Amino acid sequence: MTDPYGIVWPLLRQLDPETAHRRALQALHMSEGVPGQLGLHILEKAFAVRDPRLAVNAFGLRFPNPVGLAAGLDKDAHAPGAFAAMGCGFVEIGTVTPLPQPGNPRPRMFRLIEDAGIINRLGFPGVGVERVRARLWKWRDGLPGGAILGINIGKNASTPLDGATADYVAVFDAIYDLAGYVAINVSSPNTQGLRTLQARDALTTIAGAVIARRDLARHVSGRRIPVLVKISPDLDEASLAGVIEACRDTGVDGLIATNTTTDRAGLASQHRGETGGLSGAPLSDRSRAILDWLVREAGSSLPIVSVGGIMTAEDARQRLDAGATLVQVYTGMVYAGPALPGAICRALLGQ
Ligand SMILES: Cc1cc2nc3c(=O)[nH]c(=O)nc-3n(C[C@H](O)[C@H](O)[C@H](O)COP(=O)(O)O)c2cc1C
């Protein structure tokens, strides 16, 4: 059967990227609402690959397969159930901030077609944690296929950097009971100063505070919620070493590597000069190099979720072979379409 995305993608490409993104999310959201879960069943039949051999145990959780949706595609939790039905082993929503905020002025998202990349400077537009919580409530008993729900948390743009810890704690407190895991995002290039929070002392303060709340929450929920930290691909080795120390000192459960890059080497596309974070194929080598470094330096104690430029099943397999515990995709879903998680799963099964 031909991949229907081969027909949909040329149409989506006619729209500006943010409109295309919104329409796709609306369609997926509507699929969640079809009576009798018919919409979810159709997605399941069309895309999901279910096989117990794909399951991964990590951070005390059972992931039905190692392929997740990266943060930012479904920031406000419009359609986590649909992504799970499509066969994602985990769905990371967010970045969620304490209060609603508009993000940066448009245009703020650009396709780099010739490079198979995206540049975005969205700046965490979102509805804020209370509305996200209300949307997630319907999934409180779990996502389709046993997919794990990750919640990626951040700070509001208007919060000064020295008040950032309170923002992370506020979002954590508001949603921990609905989260499979929580990811602390200190690596988006589009919120001023955010990436400075990756420095050892700053990260120790933030991760320490969130983990203290996690340990308190354990008494309430009876569950220990794994806390991960998402890092930038633009860190040098000394900074990466600082991240590892902060994670070890505070008891962080794992790393998500990486977010988007501000590097622009080797791009051909018209929009290559836009400010923002670059994702997709041009990020692949850098994310892979960071994975290799982390596996070598900390792989035995800190499980790593590899993300950045995974565009094909072969890319994903290589990251897992290199020592990643799990992988995530975003830009690959835009260029290859929703069949990508299933294609990765089939490749992992040798089919
Ligand atoms: C449009 C867009 C928005 C994003 N928003 C977020 C975000 O809110 N929080 C976050 O942690 N990462 C965000 N990311 C980064 C992705 O989660 C991912 O780390 C990055 O894009 C690299 O993966 P990829 O090459 O598969 O896209 C965003 C990426 C894109 C393209």
Side-chain angles (χ1 to χ4, degrees), residues 70-72 75 94-95 109 118 120 122 124 152 185 230 258-260 279-280 283 307-309 329-331:
K75 286 177 188 286
T95 295
M109 193 169 163
I118 292 174
N120 92 85
L122 293 170
F124 302 162
N152 178 303
N185 179 10
K230 183 164 179 182
T258 67
N259 213 312
T260 55
S279 59
L283 174 60
V307 51
V329 290
Y330 184 147
T331 306

Side-chain angles (χ1 to χ4, degrees), residues 107-164:
R108 53 191 182 174
M109 193 169 163
F110 306 88
R111 294 187 196 101
L112 280 70
I113 302 276
E114 295 86 344
D115 299 302
I118 292 174
I119 290 177
N120 92 85
R121 52 171 178 268
L122 293 170
F124 302 162
V127 296
V129 71
E130 283 313 323
R131 280 184 65 192
V132 169
R133 180 180 170 81
R135 284 185 190 155
L136 288 177
W137 186 248
K138 72 172 167 178
W139 302 115
R140 64 190 177 281
D141 293 328
L143 289 169
I148 300 292
L149 177 71
I151 305 184
N152 178 303
I153 66 175
K155 68 177 271 299
N156 279 117
S158 60
T159 304
L161 285 175
D162 62 8

Side-chain angles (χ1 to χ4, degrees), residues 8 26 34 52 103 152 162 165 180 189 209 213 228 263 279 283 291 313 321:
V8 174
Q26 278 167 346
V34 180
N152 178 303
D162 62 8
T165 302
R213 303 301 293 185
L228 281 64
D263 187 35
S279 59
L283 174 60
L291 170 67
D321 285 350

Side-chain angles (χ1 to χ4, degrees), residues 3-49:
D3 177 6
Y5 197 67
I7 301 162
V8 174
W9 172 230
L11 300 175
L12 283 176
R13 263 176 66 172
Q14 303 300 313
L15 303 171
D16 89 90
E18 228 182 307
T19 307
H21 180 224
R22 199 177 54 244
R23 297 252 170 99
L25 272 183
Q26 278 167 346
L28 289 174
H29 178 71
M30 278 168 55
S31 77
E32 285 185 357
V34 180
Q37 303 218 319
L38 191 61
L40 293 179
H41 285 307
I42 289 170
L43 289 174
E44 177 86 37
K45 276 260 169 275
F47 298 114
V49 174

Side-chain angles (χ1 to χ4, degrees), residues 31-85:
S31 77
E32 285 185 357
V34 180
Q37 303 218 319
L38 191 61
L40 293 179
H41 285 307
I42 289 170
L43 289 174
E44 177 86 37
K45 276 260 169 275
F47 298 114
V49 174
R50 306 286 181 206
D51 190 309
R53 287 173 296 168
L54 293 165
V56 174
N57 293 309
F59 325 117
L61 300 171
R62 183 183 186 276
F63 293 76
N65 69 61
V67 189
L69 184 74
L73 210 163
D74 192 7
K75 286 177 188 286
D76 284 335
H78 285 288
F83 287 108

